[in-house]
Amino acid sequence: LAKTTQPISMDSYEGQEVNITCSHNNIATNDYITWYQQFPSQGPRFIIQGYKTKVTNEVASLFIPADRKSSTLSLPRVSLSDTAVYYCLVGDNDYKLSFGAGTTVTVRA
Amino acid sequence: EPEVTQTPSHQVTQMGQEVILRCVPISNHLYFYWYRQILGQKVEFLVSFYNNEISEKSEIFDDQFSVERPDGSNFTLKIRSTKLEDSAMYFCASSERLLNQPQHFGDGTRLSIL
Protein backbone atom coordinates (compact mmCIF):
# COMPACT_ATOMS: atom_id res chain seq x y z
CA LEU A 1 0.00 0.00 0.00
CA ALA A 2 1.24 3.48 -0.84
CA LYS A 3 2.35 5.49 2.18
CA THR A 4 0.54 8.77 2.72
CA THR A 5 1.62 11.91 4.55
CA GLN A 6 -0.82 14.56 5.68
CA PRO A 7 -0.68 17.37 8.26
CA ILE A 8 -1.42 16.37 11.82
CA SER A 9 -3.80 19.25 12.41
CA MET A 10 -5.39 22.32 10.84
CA ASP A 11 -7.41 25.14 12.33
CA SER A 12 -10.05 27.12 10.51
CA TYR A 13 -13.01 29.41 11.06
CA GLU A 14 -16.62 28.99 10.09
CA GLY A 15 -17.34 29.93 6.50
CA GLN A 16 -13.77 29.44 5.31
CA GLU A 17 -12.54 26.90 2.79
CA VAL A 18 -10.31 24.17 4.19
CA ASN A 19 -7.77 22.45 1.96
CA ILE A 20 -5.95 19.35 3.21
CA THR A 21 -3.09 18.09 1.09
CA CYS A 22 -1.97 14.49 1.20
CA SER A 23 1.34 13.28 -0.25
CA HIS A 24 1.55 9.81 -1.77
CA ASN A 25 4.78 9.75 -3.74
CA ASN A 26 4.78 6.00 -4.41
CA ILE A 27 1.19 5.72 -5.60
CA ALA A 28 0.73 2.81 -8.01
CA THR A 29 -0.96 2.92 -11.39
CA ASN A 30 -4.07 1.11 -10.16
CA ASP A 31 -4.41 3.01 -6.90
CA TYR A 32 -7.37 5.23 -6.13
CA ILE A 33 -7.35 8.04 -3.56
CA THR A 34 -10.09 7.96 -0.95
CA TRP A 35 -10.89 10.33 1.91
CA TYR A 36 -12.78 9.46 5.07
CA GLN A 37 -14.03 11.64 7.92
CA GLN A 38 -14.32 10.52 11.53
CA PHE A 39 -16.13 12.24 14.38
CA PRO A 40 -15.36 11.25 17.99
CA SER A 41 -16.97 7.94 18.99
CA GLN A 42 -18.21 7.30 15.46
CA GLY A 43 -17.01 5.15 12.59
CA PRO A 44 -15.15 6.61 9.62
CA ARG A 45 -17.44 8.03 6.96
CA PHE A 46 -16.62 7.99 3.25
CA ILE A 47 -16.31 11.48 1.79
CA ILE A 48 -14.92 11.24 -1.73
CA GLN A 49 -12.81 9.10 -4.03
CA GLY A 50 -10.88 9.88 -7.19
CA TYR A 51 -8.25 8.65 -9.62
CA LYS A 52 -7.14 11.79 -11.45
CA THR A 53 -8.04 15.44 -12.13
CA LYS A 54 -10.96 16.72 -10.11
CA VAL A 55 -13.91 15.08 -8.44
CA THR A 56 -16.72 16.99 -6.76
CA ASN A 57 -19.73 15.88 -4.76
CA GLU A 58 -22.17 17.58 -2.44
CA VAL A 59 -19.70 17.51 0.45
CA ALA A 60 -16.23 18.16 -0.94
CA SER A 61 -13.91 18.40 -3.92
CA LEU A 62 -10.81 16.35 -4.57
CA PHE A 63 -8.02 17.75 -6.70
CA ILE A 64 -5.43 15.36 -8.09
CA PRO A 65 -2.54 16.68 -10.21
CA ALA A 66 -1.33 14.87 -13.30
CA ASP A 67 1.53 13.08 -11.54
CA ARG A 68 -0.90 11.84 -8.83
CA LYS A 69 1.81 12.11 -6.18
CA SER A 70 -0.44 14.25 -4.03
CA SER A 71 -4.09 15.13 -3.64
CA THR A 72 -6.02 17.94 -1.97
CA LEU A 73 -9.34 17.58 -0.23
CA SER A 74 -11.26 20.85 -0.30
CA LEU A 75 -14.09 21.51 2.13
CA PRO A 76 -16.01 24.63 1.09
CA ARG A 77 -17.42 26.99 3.71
CA VAL A 78 -16.83 24.82 6.76
CA SER A 79 -19.06 24.91 9.81
CA LEU A 80 -18.46 23.87 13.41
CA SER A 81 -19.85 20.43 12.59
CA ASP A 82 -16.99 19.81 10.15
CA THR A 83 -14.61 19.51 13.10
CA ALA A 84 -13.32 15.95 12.71
CA VAL A 85 -10.36 13.81 11.73
CA TYR A 86 -9.85 13.43 7.97
CA TYR A 87 -8.01 10.45 6.55
CA CYS A 88 -6.37 10.11 3.14
CA LEU A 89 -6.09 6.51 1.91
CA VAL A 90 -4.44 5.21 -1.22
CA GLY A 91 -4.75 1.74 -2.65
CA ASP A 92 -6.52 -0.62 -5.01
CA ASN A 93 -7.20 -3.43 -2.59
CA ASP A 94 -10.26 -2.53 -0.60
CA TYR A 95 -10.02 -5.66 1.51
CA LYS A 96 -7.85 -3.81 3.93
CA LEU A 97 -8.11 -0.09 4.45
CA SER A 98 -4.97 1.24 6.12
CA PHE A 99 -5.70 4.32 8.18
CA GLY A 100 -2.94 6.68 9.28
CA ALA A 101 -3.20 9.26 12.02
CA GLY A 102 -5.23 11.58 9.79
CA THR A 103 -5.59 15.36 9.97
CA THR A 104 -7.52 16.80 12.87
CA VAL A 105 -9.47 19.77 11.55
CA THR A 106 -10.79 22.17 14.17
CA VAL A 107 -13.34 24.75 13.06
CA ARG A 108 -13.82 27.72 15.35
CA ALA A 109 -16.69 30.22 15.48
CA GLU B 1 -29.63 6.39 3.25
CA PRO B 2 -29.04 2.77 4.32
CA GLU B 3 -26.54 2.31 7.10
CA VAL B 4 -24.53 -0.28 8.96
CA THR B 5 -25.86 -0.87 12.46
CA GLN B 6 -23.94 -2.31 15.38
CA THR B 7 -25.07 -3.65 18.73
CA PRO B 8 -24.48 -3.16 21.56
CA SER B 9 -23.11 0.36 21.56
CA HIS B 10 -21.18 -0.41 24.74
CA GLN B 11 -20.19 -3.81 26.15
CA VAL B 12 -18.52 -4.31 29.51
CA THR B 13 -17.03 -7.77 30.08
CA GLN B 14 -14.82 -9.47 32.63
CA MET B 15 -11.40 -10.57 31.41
CA GLY B 16 -11.46 -14.13 30.17
CA GLN B 17 -15.10 -14.04 29.17
CA GLU B 18 -16.39 -14.51 25.65
CA VAL B 19 -17.99 -11.60 23.87
CA ILE B 20 -19.96 -11.38 20.63
CA LEU B 21 -20.27 -8.11 18.77
CA ARG B 22 -23.07 -7.86 16.26
CA CYS B 23 -23.44 -6.00 13.01
CA VAL B 24 -26.12 -5.66 10.37
CA PRO B 25 -24.41 -4.63 7.11
CA ILE B 26 -26.17 -2.75 4.32
CA SER B 27 -28.52 -5.23 2.69
CA ASN B 28 -27.13 -5.44 -0.85
CA HIS B 29 -23.50 -5.42 0.22
CA LEU B 30 -21.40 -8.51 -0.30
CA TYR B 31 -18.15 -7.70 1.50
CA PHE B 32 -17.90 -7.32 5.27
CA TYR B 33 -15.13 -6.10 7.53
CA TRP B 34 -14.16 -5.59 11.14
CA TYR B 35 -11.79 -2.89 12.37
CA ARG B 36 -10.80 -1.78 15.82
CA GLN B 37 -9.57 1.49 17.28
CA ILE B 38 -7.87 1.58 20.64
CA LEU B 39 -8.48 4.89 22.40
CA GLY B 40 -6.29 7.61 20.91
CA GLN B 41 -4.82 5.33 18.25
CA LYS B 42 -5.37 4.56 14.58
CA VAL B 43 -8.18 2.53 13.07
CA GLU B 44 -6.75 -0.96 12.50
CA PHE B 45 -7.98 -3.61 10.07
CA LEU B 46 -8.92 -6.95 11.61
CA VAL B 47 -10.63 -9.11 8.99
CA SER B 48 -12.56 -9.12 5.74
CA PHE B 49 -15.27 -11.63 4.82
CA TYR B 50 -16.83 -12.58 1.52
CA ASN B 51 -18.92 -15.50 0.33
CA ASN B 52 -19.02 -16.99 3.81
CA GLU B 53 -15.31 -17.13 4.31
CA ILE B 54 -12.46 -14.94 5.49
CA SER B 55 -10.76 -13.12 2.62
CA GLU B 56 -7.94 -11.54 4.56
CA LYS B 57 -6.99 -11.06 8.19
CA SER B 58 -4.41 -9.07 10.07
CA GLU B 59 -1.90 -10.20 12.68
CA ILE B 60 -4.27 -8.91 15.35
CA PHE B 61 -6.92 -11.43 14.29
CA ASP B 62 -5.50 -14.45 16.11
CA ASP B 63 -7.15 -17.67 17.24
CA GLN B 64 -9.13 -15.83 19.90
CA PHE B 65 -11.13 -14.08 17.20
CA SER B 66 -13.73 -15.50 14.85
CA VAL B 67 -16.34 -14.11 12.49
CA GLU B 68 -19.59 -15.52 11.32
CA ARG B 69 -22.56 -14.64 9.16
CA PRO B 70 -25.16 -16.74 10.93
CA ASP B 71 -28.05 -15.65 8.70
CA GLY B 72 -28.75 -13.39 5.77
CA SER B 73 -28.47 -10.16 7.70
CA ASN B 74 -26.11 -10.42 10.67
CA PHE B 75 -22.32 -10.44 10.79
CA THR B 76 -20.67 -11.17 14.12
CA LEU B 77 -17.24 -10.89 15.70
CA LYS B 78 -16.53 -13.24 18.60
CA ILE B 79 -13.64 -12.90 21.01
CA ARG B 80 -13.29 -16.19 22.88
CA SER B 81 -11.32 -15.22 25.96
CA THR B 82 -11.04 -11.48 26.29
CA LYS B 83 -7.90 -9.74 27.49
CA LEU B 84 -7.49 -6.25 28.93
CA GLU B 85 -5.81 -5.15 25.70
CA ASP B 86 -8.94 -6.03 23.72
CA SER B 87 -10.58 -2.90 25.12
CA ALA B 88 -11.28 -0.73 22.07
CA MET B 89 -13.93 0.54 19.69
CA TYR B 90 -14.84 -2.17 17.20
CA PHE B 91 -16.22 -1.03 13.86
CA CYS B 92 -18.05 -3.14 11.33
CA ALA B 93 -18.06 -2.08 7.69
CA SER B 94 -19.50 -3.32 4.43
CA SER B 95 -19.09 -2.61 0.76
CA GLU B 96 -21.09 -3.46 -2.34
CA ARG B 97 -18.15 -4.68 -4.37
CA LEU B 98 -14.44 -4.99 -3.71
CA LEU B 99 -12.45 -2.78 -6.00
CA ASN B 100 -12.72 0.97 -5.69
CA GLN B 101 -15.85 0.82 -3.63
CA PRO B 102 -16.07 2.83 -0.41
CA GLN B 103 -16.58 0.93 2.79
CA HIS B 104 -19.53 2.03 4.90
CA PHE B 105 -18.88 1.92 8.64
CA GLY B 106 -21.15 1.49 11.62
CA ASP B 107 -20.77 3.67 14.69
CA GLY B 108 -19.01 0.93 16.58
CA THR B 109 -19.20 -1.02 19.80
CA ARG B 110 -17.14 0.23 22.69
CA LEU B 111 -15.72 -2.87 24.38
CA SER B 112 -14.45 -2.43 27.92
CA ILE B 113 -12.63 -5.36 29.53
CA LEU B 114 -12.38 -5.28 33.32
Side-chain angles (χ1 to χ4, degrees), chain A residues 30-32 34 36 38 40-46 49 87 91-102, chain B residues 31 33 35 37 41-43 45 47-48 50 55-56 89 91 98-108 110:
Chain A
N30 295 331
D31 287 346
Y32 274 68
T34 309
Y36 284 81
Q38 187 180 27
S41 298
Q42 292 187 24
R45 184 174 75 98
F46 169 79
Q49 183 180 67
Y87 301 98
D92 69 344
N93 180 354
D94 288 337
Y95 273 152
K96 183 169 65 178
L97 295 182
S98 181
F99 288 85
Chain B
Y31 297 84
Y33 315 85
Y35 294 80
Q37 186 173 31
Q41 297 188 23
K42 302 175 187 177
V43 177
F45 169 78
V47 66
S48 61
Y50 169 71
S55 308
E56 190 166 351
M89 284 289 288
F91 296 110
L98 177 59
L99 291 180
N100 307 319
Q101 281 289 302
Q103 292 183 19
H104 296 264
F105 286 75
D107 279 338
R110 180 178 301 281

Side-chain angles (χ1 to χ4, degrees), chain A residues 75-94:
Chain A
L75 306 172
R77 297 178 300 281
V78 293
S79 63
L80 296 176
S81 62
D82 292 315
T83 293
V85 180
Y86 292 82
Y87 301 98
C88 166
L89 284 78
V90 172
D92 69 344
N93 180 354
D94 288 337

